[in-house]
Amino acid sequence: MQTNVVKQLNQAMQTVMKTARVQVIAKMGAHLTVAEKTSRRDLVTNVDHSNEDFLVHQIRELDPDAHILAEEGTGDQVDTMAGHVWIVDPIDGTMNFVHQRNHFAMMVGLYVDGEPTLGYIYNVMANKLYAGGPQIGVTLNNEPLVAPANLDLSAGLFGASAPLLIQNRFNMQTVVAQSLGPRIMGSAGIQISQVLAGELVGYLSYLRPWDFAAGRVLAESLGLVVTRVDGTPVDMLSSGAVLIATKRAQRSILAIV
Amino acid sequence: MQTNVVKQLNQAMQTVMKTARVQVIAKMGAHLTVAEKTSRRDLVTNVDHSNEDFLVHQIRELDPDAHILAEEGTGDQVDTMAGHVWIVDPIDGTMNFVHQRNHFAMMVGLYVDGEPTLGYIYNVMANKLYAGGPQIGVTLNNEPLVAPANLDLSAGLFGASAPLLIQNRFNMQTVVAQSLGPRIMGSAGIQISQVLAGELVGYLSYLRPWDFAAGRVLAESLGLVVTRVDGTPVDMLSSGAVLIATKRAQRSILAIV
């Protein structure tokens, strides 16, 4: 897409995200309807659904011919990354949303013929909106975000996934031991935004497309790397263990896992 | 102490904490001097020292005959809880302070003849000040804080310590498995404040007196329980594994550890 078109779309989507945030916070004051999806740790609420409906509707207004892959199924059946594909997670960290009313994110990513184009991660309660893409740079609440320092694993904190850490999958206990320590927030969106902000040198977790679609756009725009755990490219239509990290931390981590 | 004296002291201490916060944030804009204490994961900065100096000085002004136990050694040698004892942690989560510029706390607790009397946990970057004690109740930013629901372990998220979780000390992996999941923030102050806020049903970690002195006052004021990991009373002059939890979660956890 032409840069001026990307810029216009970015402005419009930031407005959409801010409106969505206000609506979500308003609904948190009322009773939440909570349902289990696959287990007692995999929740969905009325707000996941209503916010997804809102985001999908707004994206259709802005980009009528696009395909939309959305976590709760409001969007399209998406089998190819050809054309415009939007990937939507209306509430990431639903467990935190329900039990903490804190530490959750809403995320949207746009890919054009497979190319990362625009990304949005909104840490709702901290009111931090990370937005942008490779053509226009990344902002945090409209201020340019400085790319994080290219620190090695040993020089930073590491974003861990609890199941992978406890089971020592991918030697995650060794990864953590080489780092300055693990942090577990319970939301991919929050932890990826911490990598963007330089608060973590990396994050490794089993992720579905909507968990890292926005984060990949933003991370790559800032010179961070996003790969599968074996170092191969990610596929935005499949799930698996994904690593988001600084270049140096990635090299160290890939040597361990 | 008489309740009106406690109230006056509380107002004065809240002002001290807010002034300390402004000073700490101002110093974060300048270069930090970072030193290792016992290991590369045990840091102290110029701001820990300057903030401890400030807090100790202010407490001496307010309560000249008190004894002060402070993490970085600015205070007194304290061997007894007789009389007024203030326990000060100027920056809790120094690793986060240095590497995230986020997720750290300042904490102060007052004990009178061993009785929990006043406590302050300030989540600096979120600007959340938890304050109060058993005589006057607990506030969050001057608004009364509602006591968290007495949820069982299985109904909530659990605040874990990374070393205890990885090494499965106190069967922490079983504790986590019974909960809705672990969270690791890297700051006792932040995680104890999450228990106060009902974001976590409990927190278990190896703690030193200044890590939980403030939190114990606030937690007990809200009907939460604070014990050693074997269920026995804590001693404010020694270190060990300490559990802060709802009553129900505590019973479940003590049956596991």
Side-chain angles (χ1 to χ4, degrees), chain B residues 51-133:
Chain B
N51 195 42
E52 181 167 302
D53 289 351
F54 174 76
L55 292 171
V56 167
H57 181 82
Q58 294 295 310
I59 291 166
R60 292 232 192 272
E61 296 274 319
L62 291 171
D63 195 3
D65 297 330
H67 292 99
I68 306 176
L69 172 62
E71 178 175 15
E72 310 305 342
T74 309
D76 306 307
Q77 176 74 33
V78 176
D79 303 312
T80 165
M81 294 298 288
H84 287 207
V85 176
W86 294 81
I87 302 179
V88 175
D89 192 339
I91 302 283
D92 175 75
T94 302
M95 182 68 80
N96 290 349
F97 176 69
V98 171
H99 290 278
Q100 302 195 324
R101 307 290 170 114
N102 203 354
H103 304 122
F104 60 92
M106 46 183 76
M107 298 195 281
V108 175
L110 168 63
Y111 290 73
V112 175
D113 293 325
E115 287 302 310
T117 303
L118 282 170
Y120 303 88
I121 301 181
Y122 210 152
N123 178 335
V124 171
M125 299 312 290
N127 196 14
K128 291 184 179 177
L129 174 58
Y130 297 83

Side-chain angles (χ1 to χ4, degrees), chain A residues 102-145:
Chain A
N102 203 354
H103 304 123
F104 61 92
M106 45 183 77
M107 298 196 282
V108 175
L110 168 63
Y111 290 73
V112 176
D113 292 325
E115 288 300 311
T117 303
L118 282 169
Y120 303 89
I121 301 181
Y122 210 152
N123 179 335
V124 171
M125 299 312 289
N127 195 15
K128 291 184 179 178
L129 174 57
Y130 297 82
Q135 285 169 272
I136 58 172
V138 176
T139 57
L140 167 56
N141 294 349
N142 286 315
E143 296 292 322
L145 185 66

Side-chain angles (χ1 to χ4, degrees), chain A residues 35-103:
Chain A
E36 295 180 2
K37 292 201 285 189
T38 61
S39 75
R40 72 183 182 116
R41 290 179 171 179
D42 184 16
L43 305 179
V44 63
T45 74
N46 58 306
V47 181
D48 296 68
H49 287 297
S50 65
N51 195 41
E52 181 167 301
D53 289 351
F54 173 75
L55 292 171
V56 167
H57 181 81
Q58 294 296 310
I59 293 166
R60 292 235 190 272
E61 295 275 319
L62 291 172
D63 195 4
D65 296 330
H67 292 100
I68 305 176
L69 172 62
E71 177 175 15
E72 310 304 343
T74 309
D76 306 307
Q77 176 75 32
V78 177
D79 302 312
T80 166
M81 293 298 288
H84 286 206
V85 177
W86 294 80
I87 303 179
V88 175
D89 192 339
I91 301 284
D92 175 75
T94 302
M95 182 66 81
N96 291 348
F97 176 69
V98 172
H99 290 278
Q100 302 196 324
R101 308 290 170 115
N102 203 354
H103 304 123

